[in-house]
Amino acid sequence: MTEGKKTILVIEDDPDVLSMMVRHLEHLGYSVLTATDGMEGLKKLDSEEYDLVITDIVMPYVSGVGVVTAIKAKRPHIPVIAITGFGKEPEAAAMEKKADMVLAKPVRMSVLKDYLTELLGLSEKEQES
């Protein structure tokens, strides 16, 4: 991880969406690591610490709901933003598993930026107390 920068893991199986998110997050000053499916994302979570995770919900191998469940069981302090292009059913499942936020695709980057600021600010305060 880069000193002083918040590190975000983005788990997304669509290469175009992944590329766009990485470019935007790096432009905002975040250190970004990626995974192209839930299984790869969970392996990366086992080997490194992240400040926040953004995960697609509908993916092969392990769904985003599975990713949210695993993160909240092992590392509940890590904020998770779930994203979906499939409507209310996956959204409800992600919220039930305690995702901190669920956003519909296409994700508006200005909205994502606001949520990142809010969620990372909350986690910083929690770490200080």
Side-chain angles (χ1 to χ4, degrees):
M1 286 191 281
T2 308
E3 188 63 35
K5 283 187 175 183
K6 296 289 186 185
T7 302
I8 297 174
L9 174 62
V10 179
I11 308 169
E12 170 62 64
D13 63 330
D14 181 321
D16 294 330
V17 174
L18 183 62
S19 174
M20 182 265 312
M21 291 193 81
V22 168
R23 279 194 315 273
H24 183 73
L25 293 168
E26 287 177 343
H27 176 75
L28 292 174
Y30 296 104
S31 176
V32 183
L33 290 122
T34 64
T36 56
D37 63 60
M39 189 177 299
E40 181 186 359
L42 290 176
K43 286 179 186 172
K44 288 189 174 191
L45 280 158
D46 283 339
S47 63
E48 194 161 345
E49 192 64 36
Y50 298 91
D51 296 296
L52 185 136
V53 175
I54 298 172
T55 184
D56 188 12
I57 295 176
V58 180
M59 296 183 292
Y61 309 118
V62 177
S63 73
V65 172
V67 170
V68 172
T69 301
I71 293 171
K72 293 305 180 177
K74 292 180 181 179
R75 297 183 183 177
H77 64 282
I78 298 177
V80 180
I81 297 174
I83 58 175
T84 184
F86 288 95
K88 294 293 180 193
E89 191 173 312
E91 181 178 324
M95 289 303 286
E96 180 183 314
K97 298 301 180 186
K98 307 296 185 231
D100 294 276
M101 185 60 52
V102 178
L103 299 175
K105 289 181 182 178
V107 176
R108 290 185 35 223
M109 289 301 126
S110 60
V111 171
L112 179 61
K113 178 184 175 184
D114 291 343
Y115 286 126
L116 290 172
T117 301
E118 178 183 327
L119 291 170
L120 290 170
L122 289 174
S123 64
E124 283 177 48
K125 288 177 190 168
E126 288 170 1
Q127 290 171 359
E128 289 171 6
S129 57

